[in-house]
Amino acid sequence: MDDQLQRLLETEARAQAVIDAASRERQRMIEDALAAVRDGESRFEAGRAELRAPYLNEAKGRAEQAVAELSRKYGERQRTLRALASRHEAEAVDAALSLLLDPGT
């Protein structure tokens, strides 16, 4: 009977060693998977910046073009308004002189 009990204890010890080894292997696999996920996330983040770069450059170019167009239109509008103001000023001066020089008209 002692012999059977000894064999059961040895079997239990071997089973516990197998369980411990499996548990260590499971933990190692989890750590490897987490490392792979972190690596994948890093590569994704780096790749995302590379993917966005052409679109950002294109948007920047379009924005610069729009700013240039608006600046050109603003300059044209400013020149037109200055010309109108100058003309109206000249007309106002002429009208004021006419009133001053010939108040009966």
Side-chain angles (χ1 to χ4, degrees):
M1 175 117 149
D2 284 339
D3 205 28
Q4 286 181 336
L5 185 58
Q6 185 63 31
R7 282 189 318 199
L8 282 173
L9 289 173
E10 288 172 2
T11 303
E12 183 181 2
R14 283 193 308 267
Q16 187 62 46
V18 169
I19 290 170
D20 291 344
S23 179
R24 285 190 301 273
E25 179 66 15
R26 180 179 143 268
Q27 187 62 35
R28 186 193 61 77
M29 290 173 71
I30 289 171
E31 290 170 3
D32 288 350
L34 287 172
V37 167
R38 286 187 198 106
D39 184 50
E41 285 177 341
S42 296
R43 282 184 281 129
F44 173 75
E45 288 299 323
R48 187 172 68 162
E50 290 174 10
L51 289 172
R52 289 174 43 191
Y55 297 107
L56 291 175
N57 288 338
E58 182 180 341
K60 183 180 176 183
R62 284 187 297 202
E64 289 171 351
Q65 187 177 12
V67 166
E69 180 66 21
L70 288 173
S71 294
R72 185 187 62 76
K73 286 181 181 180
Y74 173 76
E76 287 176 6
R77 180 72 175 149
Q78 189 176 22
R79 284 188 294 279
T80 301
L81 289 174
R82 283 189 180 156
L84 284 171
S86 179
R87 189 178 74 198
H88 289 154
E89 180 184 15
E91 290 173 0
V93 168
D94 289 344
L97 282 174
S98 293
L99 279 173
L100 289 173
L101 295 176
D102 191 13
T105 329

